[in-house]
Amino acid sequence: MSHFQTREHIADQHKWNPEAIFHDEKTWERAADRVQSRLTDLCTDDITRNPATLAETLDTFFDIKAEFERVDVYATLHSLIDTTDERAQERSGRVDDLRSTLETNRSSIETAIQRTNAERIETMLAESEALSQYGQYLCNLTCQAEHTADAAAEAVISTLTPVLGGNQTYETLLNADLSFPSLEKPNGEQVDITLNNRETLLRSHDRPFRQTVHEQFYDTLNEYRHTIAATFDKHVETAVRTADIRGYDSSLAAALAAENVPAEVYKTLIEVISTNLDPLHEHLQYKRKRLGVDVLRPWDLNVRLVAEDATVPYERAKELVVEAVAPLGEAYQSRLARGFESGWVDVYETSSKIAGAGTIPAYSTEPYIFLNYQNDVNWLFGLAHEAGHAMHAALTSETQPIVYGEFDWFISEVPSTVMEALLVHHILETVEDTALHRTVLDMWLERFRDLLYRRTRYAICEQQMHSHVGDGGQLTPDRLDQFITDGWARINAPVSVDERIAGEWMQAKYLNMWMPFYVYQYATGFSAALSLVTAIREEWDGGSSGEMASRYLHFLRSGSSEYPLALLSEIGVDLRSKKPFEQAVNAYHDALAEYTVLDQP
């Protein structure tokens, strides 16, 4: 029996309104037809013959891209709120076709630019005012020219990549087709296990109940382990083969090169975190003692150290998040508040809505956030996290031309974690509620455990997956089990694992996203954010924001107008060094020490 709300019973201010983009489906269809027609008519032949032709071609392409984005966002909103809606799936299928055509045109344009002598491109930039806004874009393309396949191969890659990877099948299986058991809570109520409430259920202080949730969740997933493994294998093989065609040493090298991130960043993160496990292990041992158990098991990790999780209704969560960003200035604070009141957020869990939380960082529309809000501190943090993404998108789109309107993924997790850190400081320093303080600080410790250590563990696992396929292997369920158990043994040594936790990969969507090697950026973004918040708060006097806040807002408005490491360097963060990661490790130590003092009877 389902216990979900229906969308009809949710207030309008708590759910998306796709009709704000197109007022009905026929209008959307006409817009999609127009995008298709414009893409068909776009000429990509001999575009570098003179500066005027190149500028006109780029202007036209990015104008079409802006139109396409509106078509895409409308379809995406409908598909996310009901993953079983067949008409929404049809619209998404048409968007995929349009995206494939768009990417084929992009590939033709960019391949032509990369086949042109770099000095010729520099000369055209110097001669043409119309090309001036494309300087960084053209520079980036010429730098990647050696890893561009011939025009025919690039056209095939751009056409087939959207349909070759297994992540869409994986998402559909998890969100639309999987049904988890219903079980009785300790208070006698019946509850359906879902992808959204599993972690909430695992925070129960009833240990046998937690174990039942853990076992039934993984037992259900295990019925589909071969199918899920096949989607992982296809996802990774697509990345490996594409990197090989483009002449990269590995799929990791290809992923990093896309944003000009040196491999040393990935290696340094793993080295520092893997050799500084003390705060994590101290946290786990403290949790074991506070829970009064002899051995910590996987189903114990989500339990809060507080007796009862604080209740935070959504309206109160919005207030706290808006208040927390005061150190960034009144303009930022007001923009966020307007976003919350103008339909950014689809708040509550409904039947067949996509699991988890996320943000659609659109350039041509407002950003859109989806939550499955559960009235607790975990989802308060989730709102803050996604609001950081949304504000990044809003400020970028309000400032940059569309060519730089998509910020690089490498920096995308910085604003989201800045928002979380500001929230923690705000609550601990201004809200007079000791129980909430304990809950928030406990949650903050969990964010260290998750974003800094668990995501790094996933980054190690993802590298193993890609290396295995790159060496000619196949990602079978047993092989994926082994990668997970190896990581648990190294990183989570104080925890005694059961055989089911080996299947963690089946629900680790970060390892099967549309973009390979994304997950490590949670750890790098978390580390960068902690450094930034320290600097911003050092200058804040409780009223006016300081110079570092202004520099940070410039960073948010920059989009992809510079390489991500350069943007971070301009605000004082060097992720090529060990310092930010070591500071994050030390901050984990400090947060645990602060909690143990607060936790005294």
Side-chain angles (χ1 to χ4, degrees):
M1 177 179 176
S2 174
H3 301 286
F4 294 119
Q5 296 186 77
T6 62
R7 294 192 67 79
E8 291 74 17
H9 291 96
I10 295 175
D12 288 344
Q13 67 265 30
H14 292 152
K15 56 188 178 184
W16 288 331
N17 178 25
E19 283 62 42
I21 304 173
F22 296 107
H23 68 266
D24 58 29
E25 188 171 342
K26 288 185 178 180
T27 307
W28 177 85
E29 288 174 348
R30 287 195 295 270
D33 289 342
R34 174 174 165 79
V35 170
Q36 180 65 66
S37 176
R38 294 189 70 191
L39 286 170
T40 301
D41 293 342
L42 181 63
C43 178
T44 59
D45 296 333
D46 198 20
I47 63 171
T48 60
R49 62 180 177 271
N50 58 58
T53 300
L54 179 57
E56 182 181 357
T57 302
L58 291 176
D59 288 347
T60 302
F61 173 79
F62 283 106
D63 188 59
I64 297 171
K65 183 177 183 296
E67 279 196 82
F68 165 77
E69 208 177 61
R70 288 170 53 80
V71 170
D72 183 13
V73 172
Y74 178 90
T76 299
L77 297 186
H78 279 287
S79 66
L80 293 183
I81 60 181
D82 185 356
T83 57
T84 65
D85 183 341
E86 293 186 3
R87 181 67 191 115
Q89 291 174 9
E90 290 175 3
R91 283 193 294 266
S92 293
R94 180 161 191 205
V95 167
D96 287 342
D97 290 341
L98 289 175
R99 181 180 290 106
S100 178
T101 305
L102 182 79
E103 291 307 313
T104 298
N105 277 273
R106 180 201 291 271
S107 175
S108 297
I109 290 168
E110 295 184 348
T111 301
I113 292 169
Q114 290 172 324
R115 291 289 177 261
T116 303
N117 184 280
E119 292 182 1
R120 169 62 178 152
I121 297 295
E122 290 178 9
T123 300
M124 285 197 289
L125 277 169
E127 293 175 350
S128 172
E129 179 66 25
L131 275 177
S132 60
Q133 70 170 330
Y134 297 108
Q136 170 67 12
Y137 169 76
L138 293 171
C139 177
N140 189 40
L141 286 177
T142 55
C143 288
Q144 294 183 13
E146 66 174 301
H147 289 292
T148 301
D150 61 60
E154 286 293 337
V156 170
I157 291 171
S158 64
T159 300
L160 293 181
T161 295
V163 299
L164 287 178
N167 64 298
Q168 188 172 13
T169 303
Y170 170 73
E171 289 283 358
T172 301
L173 174 62
L174 259 61
N175 290 292
D177 292 339
L178 265 180
S179 178
F180 293 96
S182 176
L183 68 164
E184 186 175 298
K185 296 172 68 174
N187 63 6
E189 294 179 3
Q190 287 294 121
V191 62
D192 298 330
I193 302 174
T194 71
L195 292 169
N196 293 308
N197 72 7
R198 181 182 68 96
E199 291 193 358
T200 300
L201 297 177
L202 286 171
R203 290 200 291 273
S204 168
H205 285 267
D206 187 304
R207 200 182 195 202
F209 174 73
R210 294 198 306 269
Q211 183 174 352
T212 299
V213 172
H214 170 85
E215 291 177 350
Q216 293 199 18
F217 178 79
Y218 279 108
D219 285 349
T220 301
L221 284 177
N222 202 50
E223 295 175 15
Y224 301 87
R225 63 190 268 108
H226 292 282
T227 300
I228 297 174
T231 71
F232 273 70
D233 187 65
K234 187 64 66 178
H235 168 69
V236 173
E237 185 179 10
T238 299
V240 168
R241 289 181 178 270
T242 301
D244 184 60
I245 290 170
R246 289 176 170 157
Y248 288 101
D249 292 337
S250 66
S251 50
L252 173 60
L256 297 176
E259 295 181 348
N260 201 36
V261 176
E264 66 186 289
V265 173
Y266 201 93
K267 294 176 181 176
T268 300
L269 166 70
I270 290 175
E271 176 189 345
V272 172
I273 301 306
S274 297
T275 57
N276 287 274
L277 299 175
D278 286 352
L280 172 65
H281 292 177
E282 290 169 9
H283 182 198
L284 294 174
Q285 293 290 12
Y286 186 79
K287 178 169 285 194
R288 181 189 62 77
K289 288 188 289 185
R290 284 284 278 102
L291 293 177
V293 298
D294 294 330
V295 178
L296 205 62
R297 304 304 300 273
W299 49 88
D300 298 323
L301 296 190
N302 286 76
V303 185
R304 296 289 182 259
L305 297 177
V306 293
E308 186 174 344
D309 199 355
T311 299
V312 186
Y314 176 68
E315 295 302 322
R316 177 56 177 150
K318 284 196 304 182
E319 293 174 358
L320 288 169
V321 172
V322 172
E323 292 167 2
V325 300
L328 299 182
E330 185 179 349
Y332 183 99
Q333 201 171 29
S334 297
R335 183 69 183 91
L336 175 61
R338 290 200 310 274
F340 281 157
E341 300 307 318
S342 62
W344 277 10
V345 190
D346 198 272
V347 181
Y348 296 112
E349 183 176 18
T350 53
S351 180
S352 298
K353 181 179 175 180
I354 191 169
T359 300
I360 303 168
Y363 179 89
S364 303
T365 70
E366 291 288 294
Y368 289 96
I369 296 169
F370 67 86
L371 303 175
N372 287 272
Y373 199 83
Q374 303 283 327
N375 287 344
D376 59 29
V377 169
N378 182 60
W379 282 95
L380 165 63
F381 272 74
L383 174 62
H385 186 96
E386 300 306 331
H389 285 311
M391 283 297 294
H392 192 187
L395 294 181
T396 291
S397 63
E398 290 167 5
T399 309
Q400 294 295 328
I402 189 171
V403 63
Y404 306 125
E406 296 179 355
F407 44 80
D408 289 312
W409 293 111
F410 181 75
I411 58 174
S412 64
E413 296 302 333
V414 175
S416 55
T417 316
V418 163
M419 194 78 91
E420 290 188 47
L422 289 173
L423 175 68
V424 171
H425 286 292
H426 170 68
I427 291 175
L428 294 180
E429 295 173 7
T430 68
V431 178
E432 295 183 2
D433 185 336
T434 302
L436 181 60
H437 288 187
R438 287 196 183 97
T439 306
V440 166
L441 195 51
D442 181 33
M443 180 66 194
W444 193 226
L445 289 172
E446 290 301 309
R447 297 303 276 167
F448 279 96
R449 183 175 70 82
D450 178 13
L451 296 176
L452 198 59
Y453 285 88
R454 184 167 71 111
R455 308 300 171 101
T456 300
R457 175 166 63 83
Y458 283 165
I460 295 169
C461 180
E462 185 168 23
Q463 190 172 15
Q464 290 173 321
M465 289 163 49
H466 282 251
S467 295
H468 181 69
V469 173
D471 290 338
Q474 183 178 4
L475 292 179
T476 63
D478 289 346
R479 177 66 65 177
L480 289 162
D481 285 352
Q482 188 60 54
F483 290 152
I484 290 294
T485 53
D486 287 349
W488 270 83
R490 280 199 307 273
I491 305 296
N492 290 328
V495 183
S496 176
V497 300
D498 70 334
E499 62 181 11
R500 291 177 175 84
I501 201 60
E504 184 186 25
W505 56 271
M506 289 186 283
Q507 57 92 18
K509 65 178 182 179
Y510 308 105
L511 299 178
N512 198 347
M513 295 177 69
W514 64 270
M515 179 181 179
F517 295 102
Y518 184 92
V519 70
Y520 85 100
Q521 294 167 143
Y522 285 100
T524 56
F526 185 75
S527 301
L530 293 179
S531 296
L532 286 169
V533 168
T534 297
I536 289 168
R537 286 176 48 78
E538 283 176 352
E539 295 180 350
W540 187 51
D541 61 6
S544 301
S545 55
E547 173 63 23
M548 180 54 72
S550 297
R551 291 167 62 189
Y552 174 64
L553 294 184
H554 175 75
F555 164 84
L556 294 180
R557 295 186 179 104
S558 297
S560 56
S561 61
E562 294 185 60
Y563 288 124
L565 282 182
L567 288 173
L568 286 172
S569 180
E570 289 173 6
I571 51 176
V573 179
D574 181 8
L575 289 177
R576 287 166 292 201
S577 74
K578 294 182 178 181
K579 183 179 178 181
F581 308 123
E582 292 172 341
Q583 288 176 331
V585 169
N586 292 335
Y588 193 4
H589 267 297
D590 294 343
L592 181 59
E594 184 177 359
Y595 184 84
T596 56
V597 171
L598 191 65
D599 197 36
Q600 297 302 313

